[in-house]
């Protein structure tokens, strides 16, 4: 049971990072990044104690869900969501980490109204400003949150970011710190109708640093499942 051992190591590392920052490790949810993983591995992770799976694509999520029918697990969308998949996404996911444009937000709102079903989401912020990455600019955060305030079916719970890849996780720290600052600023100013509680940040290479900086959700693939096939 390699996945079980990996999860135990991850939990130890999260506890150490949380301790360093004077935080409670219980605040940190492990979202297992399920992309390309066979159902057997997902099943092993769930048996080891993982309760949240993160999916990048609607179609792969549907395949995984079929294979794991009857298994008690929460599904999150962590990858870019196409607007024409908003309807399916509402049915599949408890949370969308990757709310990355107002057009997508309006489409989700429209579908959610049709279905009479609210959805939790995180605002994806492109802190690095890399053109290849999706997400909102931090410069427009006040306006963006003002706009989202008017979408009653979307319940924003926090912020998400993906820093550039670095070999040295310390280099990611300023990006995580910035996301935490943005959350704090938004809450202090009351830009959104409810307090933003969640920070989805940190992947296999840098999750300890992210936890030190306040992550409440870490999205982990490789470090949990091993290299993707
Ligand atoms: C794949 C993926 C992850 C996990 O990546 P690892 O480096 O394997 O931990 C996290 N977040 C998103 C959005 C991903 O696509």
């Amino acid at each position: 049971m390699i996945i079980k051992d990996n999860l135990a190591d991850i939990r130890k590392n999260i506890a150490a990072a949380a301790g360093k920052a004077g935080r409670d490790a219980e605040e940190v949810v492990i979202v297992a990044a399920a992309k390309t993983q066979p159902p057997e591995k997902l099943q092993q992770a769930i048996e080891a104690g993982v309760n949240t799976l993160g999916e990048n694509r609607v179609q792969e999520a549907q395949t995984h869900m079929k294979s794991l029918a009857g298994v008690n697990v929460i599904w999150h969308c962590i990858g870019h969501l196409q607007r024409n998949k908003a309807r399916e996404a509402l049915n599949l996911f408890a949370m969308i980490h990757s709310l990355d444009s107002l057009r997508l937000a309006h489409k989700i709102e429209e579908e959610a109204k049709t279905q009479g079903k609210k959805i939790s989401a995180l605002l994806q912020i492109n802190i690095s400003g890399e053109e290849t990455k999706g997400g909102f600019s931090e410069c427009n955060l006040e306006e963006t949150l003002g706009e989202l305030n008017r979408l009653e079916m979307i319940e924003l719970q926090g912020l998400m970011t993906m820093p550039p890849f670095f070999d040295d996780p310390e280099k990611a720290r300023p990006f995580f710190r910035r996301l935490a600052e943005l959350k704090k600023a938004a809450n202090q100013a009351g830009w959104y109708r409810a307090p933003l509680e969640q920070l989805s940040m940190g992947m296999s290479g840098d999750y300890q640093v992210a936890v030190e900086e306040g992550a409440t959700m870490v999205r982990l693939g490789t470090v949990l499942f091993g290299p993707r096939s």
Side-chain angles (χ1 to χ4, degrees), residues 62-203:
Q62 287 166 326
T63 308
H64 281 158
M65 287 176 191
K66 254 185 217 143
S67 311
L68 296 176
V71 175
N72 191 16
V73 68
I74 300 164
W75 302 82
H76 287 184
C77 174
I78 62 172
H80 172 65
L81 180 63
Q82 288 173 300
R83 278 180 302 137
N84 63 9
K85 295 278 164 54
R87 179 175 309 166
E88 282 103 324
L90 274 166
N91 285 316
L92 300 175
F93 301 118
M95 182 181 278
I96 297 170
H97 290 227
S98 42
L99 189 61
D100 59 5
S101 74
L102 284 178
R103 289 178 77 202
L104 174 63
H106 283 287
K107 181 72 183 172
I108 292 172
E109 174 77 5
E110 184 189 317
E111 290 292 347
K113 275 192 172 145
T114 308
Q115 294 185 30
K117 191 172 178 214
K118 294 190 177 185
I119 178 101
S120 292
L122 307 176
L123 204 63
Q124 183 173 346
I125 311 286
N126 184 357
I127 294 182
S128 55
E130 289 168 285
E131 281 180 19
T132 53
K133 283 214 175 103
F136 291 90
S137 160
E138 62 172 272
C139 309
N140 307 330
L141 188 60
E142 182 178 0
E143 291 99 308
T144 304
L145 290 174
E147 184 78 19
L148 281 156
N149 251 331
R150 289 192 253 138
L151 307 186
E152 59 192 43
M153 304 305 277
I154 298 177
E155 297 188 321
L156 218 56
Q157 309 282 341
L159 306 177
M160 180 271 220
T161 200
M162 284 209 282
F165 176 80
F166 300 107
D167 283 324
D168 175 8
E170 278 302 323
K171 297 216 167 100
R173 188 183 296 276
F175 298 88
F176 298 144
R177 187 164 291 177
R178 185 68 191 140
L179 197 72
E181 285 170 1
L182 291 171
K183 173 166 90 70
K184 196 171 166 201
N187 286 341
Q188 279 175 350
W191 287 335
Y192 189 64
R193 60 182 184 250
L196 303 175
E197 311 277 6
Q198 307 296 333
L199 287 174
S200 170
M201 57 188 195
M203 309 187 359

Side-chain angles (χ1 to χ4, degrees), residues 33 35 56 78-79 160 162 202-205 219-223 228:
K35 61 174 179 275
N56 285 69
I78 62 172
M160 180 271 220
M162 284 209 282
M203 309 187 359
S204 289
R219 308 177 311 271
L220 305 178
T222 322
V223 78
R228 279 182 282 277

